[in-house]
Every structure is written in structure tokens, then in C-alpha cells.
Amino acid sequence: MLTLALYNTYDTRRLHEAHLRAIARAGPIAYAFDFHLALVGFPLEGKPLDVAEEIAGNTTIGRGGKYLVELARNNKFHLLDFPRGGFPPQFGTPVATTRKPSEEKKITPLEVARRAVSGESFILLVGLGRRGLPEEIFKLARYHMEITGKGVSLETCTAIGAIPSKIRTLMEALQWKTDGQKNWRGYSSQL
């Protein structure tokens, strides 16, 4: 199981338009690339399906929130409190996404993809807000991952799109190679 987790550092008491836009944009991405979507520390109450339907009623993104609702109907949309010592174990290994991973915790997108193909679960944490992920999450996360390979800082919604698309593409290339295919779009020589 792969989970894209939006970690709220914007405002924990009141829901803002920025929250809604990020959630609405993340829904179709998670759906398209077969990820779960988790919201961490958002000022939302209710069951995931109720929340998804409420958000869907206020957006035109993702066919009017259709994909977010589909995630919720398939138990792939989760509302999590801020972690107190760790994330629920069913989400797997926590990975903080950052342009500056610490050397001792660094993991590459290719390694995440390899391990995901083998059945390991990961929760990939993306900070939503000007400050990004808080320091305690970098300490809590087992790994830090930089998605661009160049240390490029990405705007949050760009990262929301880039992370699942890169991981899923690498997973497909690894699976293709495992299935005996040769030189799939030039990836096999890199894998």
C-alpha cells in the first residue's frame, strides 16, 4: 500500500480555501496512480466518505470531486490526527519528502518503488503550508526522499503530482523488467 499524506502545517483550527484546493488536487492524483490519500491534522470531522462528499460539493477539480469520493468509497481516503509517537502501522514506513534529505535517512524514489513492488507499504508525507513538514516529522520519519534527483524545491501541488507519478512509473518499469520485457523505453538499463 502506498499512501500520499498531506501534512497540515497551514492552520489546524480552521479550514481554508488552500486546504480544499490541495485536497481536491490530490484526489485525482491518488486515484490515477493507485495511491491511498491521507490528510494529517486537518480541521475536518466526520467519516471519510462524508468529508469527501462535502469537499466534492465545493470543487470542480477532479470531475467535481468524483475521484476523491471514489477513493473514500474504496477505503483509500483517510483522516489522521497528528502523530503522537508514530503513524498507524497499517500505513507502513513513514517517508518525509524534502529537497534536502539527511544523508543518514536518505532513500531514493527507485528504492521506494523496488520495495513497494515487493509488497512493502509506505506513507509519503508532504507538508502543506509555508513551513513544509515540521522538524519532529523529519525526526519521526524513518526515511527522507527527494523526488527530483536535483534538490529542486517544488510547490506543494506540483510535488503532490510528481511523487505518485514518479513512484508508480518506476514500479511499472520494475514490474515490466521482472516480467521479462527488454529495454522498455530505455529504463531497463537504469534499473
Side-chain angles (χ1 to χ4, degrees):
M1 176 171 87
L2 291 170
T3 303
L4 178 66
L6 304 184
Y7 192 99
N8 178 26
T9 60
Y10 189 71
D11 187 343
T12 59
R13 289 172 284 196
R14 199 171 62 107
L15 199 60
H16 292 266
E17 185 65 26
H19 289 120
L20 295 172
R21 281 194 315 268
I23 297 165
R25 289 175 177 149
I29 293 294
Y31 182 85
F33 295 104
D34 199 26
F35 271 62
H36 288 241
L37 176 62
L39 307 180
V40 182
F42 278 68
L44 296 164
E45 293 183 18
K47 295 179 180 178
L49 182 57
D50 297 334
V51 170
E53 287 174 341
E54 178 69 25
I55 293 169
N58 293 297
T59 187
T60 58
I61 299 169
R63 295 187 64 198
K66 172 188 175 195
Y67 301 114
L68 185 63
V69 171
E70 284 300 312
L71 287 172
R73 284 187 179 136
N74 291 302
N75 296 316
K76 290 181 145 192
F77 179 56
H78 314 278
L79 306 174
L80 305 176
D81 292 328
F82 287 119
R84 298 189 199 291
F87 288 93
Q90 66 267 29
F91 291 100
T93 305
V95 178
T97 62
T98 178
R99 72 179 187 91
K100 294 180 180 179
S102 69
E103 282 303 315
E104 62 274 2
K105 290 189 170 191
K106 188 176 184 179
I107 190 169
T108 65
L110 181 57
E111 184 62 23
V112 169
R114 276 190 180 125
R115 290 168 65 174
V117 166
S118 297
E120 192 170 339
S121 295
F122 291 94
I123 182 168
L124 305 168
L125 303 156
V126 178
L128 179 64
R130 291 179 187 94
R131 294 166 282 168
L133 292 170
E135 189 59 36
E136 63 264 18
I137 295 303
F138 284 104
K139 290 177 184 173
L140 178 67
R142 185 175 307 161
Y143 298 112
H144 298 171
M145 183 182 71
E146 196 282 318
I147 198 72
T148 71
K150 297 178 181 180
V152 176
S153 180
L154 299 177
E155 187 272 334
T156 304
C157 285
T158 302
I160 288 169
I163 293 165
S165 64
K166 183 160 188 172
I167 299 295
R168 184 59 62 190
T169 299
L170 288 168
M171 289 174 68
E172 289 171 359
L174 288 165
Q175 288 168 327
W176 192 278
K177 185 177 180 185
T178 301
D179 291 341
Q181 302 299 318
K182 302 281 188 224
N183 203 21
W184 181 70
R185 292 187 191 161
Y187 288 123
S188 66
S189 63
Q190 299 172 25
L191 305 173

